[in-house]
Amino acid sequence: MLKMSALYPGSFDPITNGHVDIIERGLKVFDRVIVAVLKNPKKHPLFTTKERVKMVQDIFASRPAVEVRAFDGLLVDFARTQGTRVVIRGLRAISDFEYEFQMALMNRSLEPEIETFFMMPSVHYSFLSSNLVREVAALGGSVDGLVPPAVSRRLRSKVRGPHKVQIS
Ligand SMILES: Nc1ncnc2c1ncn2[C@@H]1O[C@H](COP(=O)(O)OP(=O)(O)OP(=O)(O)O)[C@@H](O)[C@H]1O
Ligand SMILES: [Mg+2]
């Protein structure tokens, strides 16, 4: 294992088993994984930043090698404040490649010292996205097996709650 930390950025709206899979793979390589939750108000997240951070913290409560922080602004600037030079990204079947390629090269031109490290999830999660999970939950479907149980409970209470889930 490398004595080095890595940043894993995303919206995590909400965290899915695909994200959990990537974090666990990251922990096999890096001694610390900092999950960086993007505040992105433009995307109108279903869960608040605080809720998204808390869900990741709860899932990894027994794993001190996982830290969770919220951030906004440029990823490379945030990486610098955390003293990390590696960014982890997950690659799903086909769909992620072009966007991830663009982002990695843009981040490299902004900060040549930062390397992007791509990891593939288990085949079971290769077609899983937070957006799909939000859609299924909004329509009353079960997301068991796609997200950790605590996330599934929170999704159900959002659907039932006073503010209906918005599909984006
Ligand atoms: N099922 C998955 N397997 C592997 N990587 C994933 C998976 N879901 C997300 N990722 C990766 O995790 C990072 C953060 O993703 P993000 O939080 O935007 O999730 P998302 O599922 O794409 O969300 P949304 O559907 O809202 O766009 C990205 O690198 C993304 O490719
Ligand atoms: Mg996405």
Side-chain angles (χ1 to χ4, degrees):
M1 193 198 291
L2 300 172
K3 288 207 173 310
M4 193 187 272
S5 62
L7 202 64
Y8 179 38
S11 316
F12 304 99
D13 186 32
I15 184 169
T16 69
N17 285 343
H19 294 122
V20 171
D21 178 293
I22 295 293
I23 294 167
E24 275 166 359
R25 283 173 207 283
L27 288 171
K28 292 184 192 165
V29 181
F30 302 98
D31 67 359
R32 197 161 62 111
V33 172
I34 304 167
V35 179
V37 178
L38 183 61
K39 293 183 186 167
N40 63 351
K42 258 194 269 163
K43 250 181 139 183
H44 301 296
L46 172 61
F47 290 98
T48 65
T49 306
K50 226 173 147 182
E51 289 172 323
R52 287 180 280 140
V53 166
K54 179 80 165 56
M55 282 186 275
V56 185
Q57 276 171 339
D58 288 351
I59 291 158
F60 290 99
S62 64
R63 310 285 290 275
V66 178
E67 283 176 32
V68 192
R69 309 220 189 294
F71 83 106
D72 53 14
L74 281 179
L75 176 63
V76 293
D77 290 339
F78 184 65
R80 214 175 287 127
T81 69
Q82 301 299 301
T84 28
R85 283 201 266 161
V86 177
V87 170
I88 296 177
R89 297 290 285 177
L91 277 186
R92 285 163 290 196
I94 321 171
S95 54
D96 286 324
F97 184 78
E98 190 167 357
Y99 175 72
E100 292 294 340
F101 197 86
Q102 277 179 6
M103 287 295 291
L105 293 182
M106 178 53 74
N107 285 334
R108 179 179 290 165
S109 76
L110 292 168
E111 176 50 87
E113 289 302 304
I114 289 179
E115 286 299 335
T116 306
F117 192 90
F118 290 103
M119 304 195 89
M120 259 80 77
S122 152
V123 67
H124 304 295
Y125 307 130
S126 286
F127 295 93
L128 178 59
S129 68
S130 296
N131 186 47
L132 194 65
V133 163
R134 293 193 298 271
E135 276 192 46
V136 171
L139 299 171
S142 166
V143 291
D144 293 348
L146 304 180
V147 296
V151 174
S152 177
R153 280 195 297 276
R154 276 166 176 267
L155 272 163
R156 272 198 296 275
S157 63
K158 276 268 178 198
V159 179
R160 277 198 237 101
H163 306 292
K164 272 280 196 185
V165 171
Q166 232 185 346
I167 302 173
S168 63

